[in-house]
Amino acid sequence: MSLRAVTRPLIVFAILACGAQAPRAADLLDVSSFMMPPRQSWAKIGDSQNPDVVVTEKLADKGGLGFRILHVRTAVKGRKQAAIDLAKSKIVETGDILLSFRPLWDRTLAYAHMQLGVSHSGIAFIVSDGNDEMVMTLESPISYSSPLNAPEHYSDLDAIHIIRPNLSDPQKVNLGKWAKLILSRPEKFDFYSDYSLPMYKRGNPGVSSPVDEILYLAKISTGASNASFASYCSEFVWSLLGLRNCDPTSFSAACIKPIFQTSDGMLTGIVPGLQNGSGFVQGPETAVRRGGFEPTEGTTILTTKVFVDVLSDPSELAGRMSAGHRKVAEDNRENMKLLNGFYASGEPAPLAQAINQSVANNVSPTSFLIRSNAGMDGFHYVGTVVFDR
């Protein structure tokens, strides 16, 4: 493959519409193995403390990949009772990252495969509700923040991945304080729809780096700034987690620490051979490599099942993906072909370097799952909530 083929800007790799989607399949988690988290990435958890949340496993036919499924009653989907049931299970914890998972993206378009079927991210908090505890989410759009019952999102969502960052109890307390502040000023938090343009590149005064976004969030949350925090879902979650060491009642910028850097190879492009890292288009590769597939077999999966468009009929895609996601996939079709060639040609470092020159530091919802898949920065897969009981 010629390096001259690298002509199209690739910053749109991070684009993910943080929103609504399509109906469920008959067997919801009957998906390709590359969409399954590696078993070695799974968090250790206790038994469910709630009989209405049943834990089972669904493993791939081959390789160390699979799902830990948290079965919840279909009747509670899109209702506060789902949040109560999950809190009672004692499996979900404050600070867990919730990723909206769209199994129907499997066997569709290369871009959807690359994103591992993930369309949105939020962060969970365990809060008291009278005599009950429940899972409350904090998200961008801020209107999605809810006990799993925001009608514009959770009413049609059948599966939710739970990814756990490594947080101490004091850090969870701090995040809870920030969440309360943010929810007390919802008018200051807007949704930003251009996912290829991270906040530090928008010309906001004083926001010229990813870390500046975290400080910006703190100032707006505490009322030190009267500006608005306009973000897409994943950069909002990433920014909030950067405040985990900070108590808002005694805030100092010195306490800011990104949950992971966006400039260390993880989110700035491709890492050939996954050498000490994993690029933000490499979610499928981290799954098959850490899932135990032989290199040649893994490459075959990447070039014949991942970075290929399986469906081309718009009428079939309409039942599986939103119009916005289909448009992004169409815009990235040539980029997907380029990535296919990258793997087919043995992941040449010069090609990776050429691709990476046009990629901006960014965070997509899939970034958190990739971190877990790759065994980086203390992220672990907890399980997948499925409303099918």
Side-chain angles (χ1 to χ4, degrees):
M1 173 176 289
S2 169
L3 296 185
R4 287 178 295 181
V6 188
T7 57
R8 185 180 179 87
L10 300 181
I11 58 172
V12 290
F13 278 153
I15 298 176
L16 271 178
C18 306
Q21 196 42 56
R24 56 171 296 189
D27 188 358
L28 190 64
L29 296 182
D30 181 19
V31 298
S32 298
S33 59
F34 67 82
M35 282 193 171
M36 299 180 174
R39 289 293 297 270
Q40 58 182 299
S41 74
W42 292 18
K44 294 181 180 179
I45 65 169
D47 296 332
S48 173
Q49 302 301 299
N50 182 3
D52 288 325
V53 179
V54 179
V55 181
T56 61
E57 294 182 359
K58 181 179 179 64
L59 305 180
D61 293 335
K62 185 177 180 180
L65 300 165
F67 295 112
R68 176 191 281 145
I69 307 174
L70 312 181
H71 290 89
V72 184
R73 296 165 293 165
T74 299
V76 303
K77 186 176 74 168
R79 295 174 52 197
K80 186 171 73 172
Q81 187 61 46
I84 294 172
D85 287 348
L86 286 168
K88 284 182 177 179
S89 76
K90 303 299 182 182
I91 294 176
V92 182
E93 298 180 359
T94 287
D96 284 350
I97 299 166
L98 306 183
L99 303 179
S100 300
F101 178 49
R102 307 293 182 175
L104 289 180
W105 285 14
D106 185 32
R107 305 179 184 96
T108 58
L109 299 175
Y111 183 82
H113 303 159
M114 185 191 75
Q115 301 290 9
L116 298 176
V118 173
S119 68
H120 177 72
S121 58
I123 189 167
F125 295 87
I126 306 301
V127 302
S128 296
D129 181 36
N131 295 325
D132 292 316
E133 288 187 327
M134 67 179 183
V135 177
M136 181 71 188
T137 73
L138 186 61
E139 314 177 48
S140 183
I142 200 73
S143 63
Y144 284 15
S145 302
S146 67
L148 300 177
N149 65 354
E152 63 268 47
H153 185 63
Y154 290 100
S155 62
D156 84 322
L157 183 62
D158 295 296
I160 307 169
H161 290 326
I162 303 172
I163 303 297
R164 180 161 295 158
N166 185 19
L167 298 173
S168 66
D169 288 339
Q171 288 173 332
K172 294 176 184 179
V173 171
N174 285 337
L175 289 173
K177 292 179 180 179
W178 287 108
K180 289 180 181 178
L181 281 176
I182 291 168
L183 289 173
S184 71
R185 311 184 79 213
E187 73 281 358
K188 292 299 179 181
F189 296 88
D190 300 321
F191 181 66
Y192 193 82
S193 60
D194 186 350
Y195 318 102
S196 68
L197 188 62
M199 187 180 298
Y200 72 96
K201 285 186 170 290
R202 298 175 205 159
N204 292 326
V207 184
S208 58
S209 73
V211 175
D212 288 341
E213 297 179 16
I214 302 174
L215 179 58
Y216 196 48
L217 174 61
K219 289 181 175 179
I220 293 170
S221 300
T222 58
S225 170
N226 201 37
S228 294
F229 193 85
S231 64
Y232 40 87
C233 56
S234 45
E235 66 179 357
F236 178 76
V237 171
W238 180 85
S239 298
L240 180 60
L241 287 170
L243 294 172
R244 66 196 181 283
N245 294 326
C246 307
D247 185 335
T249 63
S250 56
F251 175 72
S252 166
C255 65
I256 289 175
K257 185 178 181 180
I259 195 72
F260 56 79
Q261 297 292 337
T262 59
S263 57
D264 61 359
M266 174 62 187
L267 298 178
T268 54
I270 299 172
V271 180
L274 301 180
Q275 297 175 1
N276 301 316
S278 179
F280 78 128
V281 303
Q282 292 180 287
E285 184 180 4
T286 59
V288 298
R289 303 301 188 204
R290 297 194 81 216
F293 287 89
E294 292 296 327
T296 54
E297 188 173 8
T299 298
T300 298
I301 292 172
L302 293 168
T303 56
T304 65
K305 295 184 178 181
V306 178
F307 291 101
V308 294
D309 289 344
V310 176
L311 289 181
S312 57
D313 187 334
S315 64
E316 291 181 302
L317 288 169
R320 291 171 174 264
M321 299 179 68
S322 69
H325 282 102
R326 296 199 306 273
K327 177 63 165 58
V328 171
E330 181 180 327
D331 291 344
N332 277 278
R333 185 162 282 122
E334 292 304 312
N335 292 332
M336 298 301 102
K337 292 178 181 178
L338 181 62
L339 287 169
N340 193 316
F342 170 74
Y343 287 113
S345 57
E347 302 188 42
L351 180 55
Q353 292 167 2
I355 292 173
N356 292 346
Q357 288 178 358
S358 61
V359 178
N361 299 347
N362 211 339
V363 181
S364 79
T366 312
S367 302
F368 305 107
L369 181 55
I370 296 172
R371 284 277 169 176
S372 175
N373 280 359
M376 299 178 69
D377 298 321
F379 284 80
H380 291 282
Y381 166 78
V382 174
T384 301
V385 177
V386 172
F387 299 97
D388 69 348
R389 291 178 62 245

